[in-house]
Structures are given as structure tokens and as C-alpha cells.
Amino acid sequence: MEPEAPNETRRIFLVLAMLNVFWAPVNFVVRVATDDGMSPAAVAFIRWGLLAILLFGLLATPWYRRTTRSVWPARRDSLQAFVLGVLFLGPAHLLYYLGIQGTSTVEGTVFNTTAPLWTALLAFVLLRERPTPKRLLAIGLGLTGAWIVGIGFRLPELDAGHTRGNLIYLTAVVLETIVAVLGARLVRRASGMTVLAYQVVGAATLQGFAPILFPQWFPMRFEEAGPAAWIGIAYLVLIPSLVCWGTWYRMVERVPLSLMVVTLLLQPP
């Protein structure tokens, strides 16, 4: 599943690098939406609920399926994708948006830089991907560079008042890593966009029930949301979700995760 030629590898890297440019403002936009009247649970549910409707609407049209080379997964794989959304993707983004309220940008950056390490490890164990020494070196150097950009030449001085937010945010990083790796097996048996659609439905389902089951942790508030919050939701649905996640899942069909995750370290700068 390695890219066929160095030129192909460079092209893949450039596409992934561009995705990170569009991904990078996500946490900032979530903070804008929550500051403008939406609760974290509302941001998560509205984002992934609208994305689920949009994805299935697009996949219902033959031209979109042809353009994205989408193939519906087998019933068992569809159920597995849905369950991954319920167990990992949905909780990850509930916890991300909750954790953002209790941590700082610098501390969040430190935790984000661990994602490639978790992904490479899980891809090796679960997908039998063996990253090349050069790729491992790139992950190590990228982690070091992101660390220096984020906090400098020192250990992180995590604010004691942020302990809860830090733990919540780190848990979300690990959960999202798990769904990415486990979902890759399903993608390679079907197609990226269809597997993503089922995962998003699972995520939105969990997020819809979370305020009912745990109202003290995940209250659903959006009635007083202003224009900035809704503009932020539009960005979250269209750019990092449909465009970036969609492109990422398409590339997972044929590109090793251990190569793809190297580019995630471009986000902290």
C-alpha cells in the first residue's frame, strides 16, 4: 500500500499539508461558537448531525458516488463503522469541545502532537503497517519541532487549574486515534466516504443522547447562539469535516496511516 513513486509521495504529502492548513483553526472556531451562546454538546451534535445529513444526501446521487469512487460497505462493516462512531468518534468530539473550555492553546498543542505516535503504534499492532526508519525519524523530529514551537525548550508547565481539561482533551486525542486506525480496515474493504458517513451517523447519535443521559456534563444549549456561532458551525461542517475528513478518508484507501499522520505535526506551527 506504499505510494508507487517519490513524486506520488510528494504529491500526497502536499495534499495532506494543505488539509492541515484548513484544519488548524478548528479549536479556535469551537471556542468562538461556545463563547457566542452554544454549549460544547450543541456544537458537537449540530456539526456531526448536519454532516451526516449532507454526506448521505451526496452519496444518494450517482455522480457523487462516481466522483468519489464510493462503494457501500457490507452490512457487517456498516454496523461496525456505526459502532465506531458511537464508541469513539462521538465521545472524542464531545470531550474535545468540553476539554477546550478547561485548557489552554499551548497545552492543547502539546497533547495534539502525541496523535501521530498513538496512530503509528496502533497501525503497527492492528493493521500490521511497518513504518520505515525514515518515517519514524520524521515523526520524532516533527514531535520535537512541534513541542519547541508550542512550549519552547522546556517541559510543559501544566496549569494545575487545567488538570481536568487536560485529561479530557488527551482522552479525546486517544479516542480519535483509535477510530482512525480501526476505521482504516473498513475503508480499505469498501471506500472512505461511505465508511465516514456511517461513523458520522454513529457519532451524531451518541451526541444526541449524551445531553439526555448526562445533562450535568453535556447540556444542550443553542437557543441564544448568535451569528458568529452559526458561521462557525458552517465552517466546521463544510471545511474540516466534509472537505478535510472526506479527503483524508479517501486517501486512507491507499496510503499508509503511518505516512499520513506525519503531516499532523504541521498544525501546531
Side-chain angles (χ1 to χ4, degrees), residues 10-23:
R10 284 193 287 270
R11 187 183 71 82
I12 289 170
F13 188 86
L14 288 174
V15 170
L16 290 168
M18 185 58 64
L19 291 184
N20 281 278
V21 174
F22 294 117
W23 252 325

Side-chain angles (χ1 to χ4, degrees), residues 105-152:
T105 302
V106 170
E107 291 166 353
T109 297
V110 172
F111 298 130
N112 281 337
T113 59
T114 67
L117 300 179
W118 301 118
T119 303
L121 176 62
L122 289 173
F124 174 77
V125 172
L126 299 176
L127 304 179
R128 298 295 186 265
E129 288 188 6
R130 296 182 178 275
T132 64
K134 183 186 295 185
R135 203 166 295 161
L136 290 173
L137 178 62
I139 292 175
L141 290 175
L143 175 61
T144 302
W147 185 289
I148 293 172
V149 169
I151 63 174

Side-chain angles (χ1 to χ4, degrees), residues 27 37 46 68 84 89 106-107 125 140 144 195 221 237 258 261:
N27 284 358
I46 295 172
T68 59
L84 286 177
L89 182 60
V106 170
E107 291 166 353
V125 172
T144 302
V195 170
R221 293 192 306 270
V237 172
S258 57
V261 295

Side-chain angles (χ1 to χ4, degrees), residues 148-222:
I148 293 172
V149 169
I151 63 174
F153 294 91
R154 56 184 173 81
L155 294 175
E157 297 176 359
L158 300 181
D159 189 328
H162 290 174
T163 300
R164 177 174 175 269
N166 292 333
L167 291 175
I168 290 172
Y169 197 95
L170 180 59
T171 301
V173 172
V174 175
L175 289 175
E176 191 172 53
T177 298
I178 293 172
V179 74
V181 175
L182 294 179
R185 293 191 296 186
L186 304 177
V187 167
R188 291 165 186 173
R189 291 202 291 262
S191 65
M193 298 305 295
T194 52
V195 170
L196 175 62
Y198 281 110
Q199 287 183 350
V200 169
V201 169
T205 300
L206 180 281
Q207 292 161 354
F209 279 103
I212 300 173
L213 299 175
F214 308 103
Q216 70 277 22
W217 296 342
F218 304 111
M220 183 73 71
R221 293 192 306 270
F222 59 88

